[in-house]
Amino acid sequence: GKTTQISILTTLYSPTSGEFRLFGESASHLSYRNLFGLVPQETVNHGFFTLEEVLEFTSGYHGLRGNKARESELLVRLGLDEHKRKKVSELSGGMKRRFAIAKALVHSPRLLLLDEPTAGVDIELRALLWEFVSELHRQGTAVLLTTHYIEEAEKL
């Protein structure tokens, strides 16, 4: 049910009936996808593109040109700045997970969807992730989390 719900919210699936709205906006509206950022359970490998290139492409997808300051801020905040010219395929699993978060946040969405974000990650990355997510929430970003780790959900 939770993956289906996220798939409907992100317009990957259509609801069988009714209409889905996010912050009052219909999924059929052109700007709907700018309302959320998704960190999927499975990491997406962008092959031969560098981190900088993928963030620039993602910014463009959301209609943002000249978004370098935000892109750089996320790379620094997530400990990826020294890797920004590496190809995504060259990153470790933990770095790919952090990069997925940067990609989901590059357009400053109102809602961050985290689908099992700490599955298979080390303790250090887990702590960094929860600190960052808590900070985002304090700044007004809504967070929807799916997890099998009930103790993490209760703590957050």
Side-chain angles (χ1 to χ4, degrees):
K2 59 186 183 261
T3 300
T4 300
Q5 185 67 31
I6 286 175
S7 296
I8 291 170
L9 191 143
T10 58
T11 70
L12 295 173
Y13 295 166
S14 295
T16 54
S17 64
E19 181 183 22
F20 196 91
R21 291 183 172 271
L22 182 61
F23 301 113
E25 190 148 333
S26 169
S28 63
H29 196 274
L30 288 175
S31 64
Y32 177 86
R33 290 188 181 185
N34 290 336
L35 295 173
F36 64 86
L38 171 65
V39 179
Q41 185 172 357
E42 301 295 325
T43 57
V44 178
N45 186 341
H46 295 283
F48 300 102
F49 295 108
T50 66
L51 278 63
E52 288 179 314
E53 290 169 332
V54 173
L55 290 181
E56 184 178 353
F57 297 154
T58 304
S59 291
Y61 171 80
H62 289 284
L64 301 171
R65 299 201 195 301
N67 199 27
K68 290 288 184 206
R70 176 68 173 167
E71 295 163 15
S72 294
E73 170 193 346
L74 289 168
L75 290 172
V76 168
R77 183 65 176 86
L78 292 164
L80 294 168
D81 190 52
E82 65 188 58
H83 305 284
K84 64 186 174 188
R85 290 190 178 90
K86 284 185 179 177
K87 299 191 184 315
V88 176
S89 59
E90 298 174 317
L91 300 178
S92 69
M95 283 191 265
K96 285 179 184 174
R97 178 65 67 186
R98 282 186 268 167
F99 183 63
I101 294 165
K103 188 176 165 217
L105 292 170
V106 76
H107 62 292
S108 302
R110 291 177 59 188
L111 171 65
L112 177 62
L113 300 161
L114 299 167
D115 192 5
E116 298 288 344
T118 59
V121 301
D122 62 42
I123 293 170
E124 181 182 332
L125 175 56
R126 190 172 293 200
L128 171 85
L129 172 64
W130 293 140
E131 177 186 328
F132 189 44
V133 167
S134 295
E135 182 182 318
L136 288 168
H137 186 256
R138 284 190 301 274
Q139 293 171 354
T141 302
V143 178
L144 177 65
L145 167 71
T146 69
T147 183
H148 287 102
Y149 302 117
I150 193 69
E151 64 281 354
E152 286 185 343
E154 287 174 341
K155 183 179 176 184
L156 292 169

